[in-house]
Amino acid sequence: NAGVTQTPKFRVLKTGQSMTLLCAQDMNHEYMYWYRQDPGMGLRLIHYSVGEGTTAKGEVPDGYNVSRLKKQNFLLGLESAAPSQTSVYFCASSWASGGSTDTQYFGPGTRLTVL
Amino acid sequence: DQQVKQNSPSLSVQEGRISILNCDYTNSMFDYFLWYKKYPAEGPTFLISISSIKDKNEDGRFTVFLNKSAKHLSLHIVPSQPGDSAVYFCAASAPNQFYFGTGTSLTVIP
């Protein structure tokens, strides 16, 4: 099992460019999440999905869009990148929400720099 | 508005001694708490968790304590080992709510 994988691992964008980050999981998890990690800020939830075809906003959703067309994939899109979106992005998945099913499994991260 | 706070950005401990990492939360609706460990250039990995109906959970060298009245949890590592050097995040959840703390960087000195 690969667990949770993220593509790409690194990316440099210019302000205004767009890109999509891909997350894939092979654990048949229902829930998937996108976080960003910034110095001194910890992990902040951007968007999450409770199942195929569903998405919901997290703590810091502005400037991002997501899609969950297939259960195993969760895409994070930046339509017009800004320097404030320079961050490390982590994808995670879990069985469900509530109790022990809340345990989230994380991917290795994508380091994004917006110039 | 930080709902989960880790007030110590860093902690250094001698090998073999106890490491105590602390976490405070503000939302009384949180019903599940977790600790994650993160090495550089890797994603966080699950370490240990505790339900709000318990006040202690143990797994080998790791013990998590929950004080609901104080809205405080702590992670004890004993004995500490150099391989425990990492950033530790506490997390709290309620249905469809997930919050992480800012992390504490633990250094275990051989």
Side-chain angles (χ1 to χ4, degrees), chain B residues 80-91:
Chain B
S80 301
Q81 299 174 353
D84 296 330
S85 296
V87 177
Y88 290 78
F89 291 98
C90 69

Side-chain angles (χ1 to χ4, degrees), chain A residues 31 33 35 37 40-43 45 48 90 97 99-100 102-104 106-108, chain B residues 2 32 34 36 38 41-44 46 89 93-96 98-102:
Chain A
Y31 278 57
Y33 317 80
Y35 292 90
Q37 186 193 7
M41 301 293 286
L43 289 159
L45 183 64
Y48 66 99
F90 289 101
S97 175
S100 61
D102 267 342
T103 302
Q104 296 180 22
F106 283 81
Chain B
Q2 284 285 132
Y32 202 66
L34 309 94
Y36 286 83
K38 184 182 181 304
E42 295 183 9
F46 170 73
F89 291 98
S93 69
N96 294 333
F98 318 93
Y99 291 93
F100 281 78
T102 51

Side-chain angles (χ1 to χ4, degrees), chain B residues 30-90:
Chain B
F30 290 143
D31 58 6
Y32 202 66
F33 303 89
L34 309 94
W35 284 94
Y36 286 83
K37 179 178 179 180
K38 184 182 181 304
Y39 292 117
E42 295 183 9
T45 56
F46 170 73
L47 189 59
I48 192 170
S49 62
I50 188 167
S51 165
S52 60
I53 63 173
K54 295 186 176 182
D55 55 17
K56 178 182 174 181
N57 188 28
E58 214 170 334
D59 183 3
R61 297 185 296 113
F62 302 92
T63 303
V64 56
F65 295 92
L66 176 62
N67 183 333
K68 283 187 67 178
S69 61
K71 294 190 178 69
H72 178 82
L73 65 155
S74 61
L75 174 68
H76 292 208
I77 306 173
V78 55
S80 301
Q81 299 174 353
D84 296 330
S85 296
V87 177
Y88 290 78
F89 291 98
C90 69

Side-chain angles (χ1 to χ4, degrees), chain A residues 24-45:
Chain A
Q25 53 96 2
D26 61 2
M27 296 175 282
N28 203 33
H29 285 169
E30 289 294 333
Y31 278 57
M32 296 187 75
Y33 317 80
W34 277 107
Y35 292 90
R36 59 180 289 173
Q37 186 193 7
D38 302 292
M41 301 293 286
L43 289 159
R44 292 182 294 167
L45 183 64

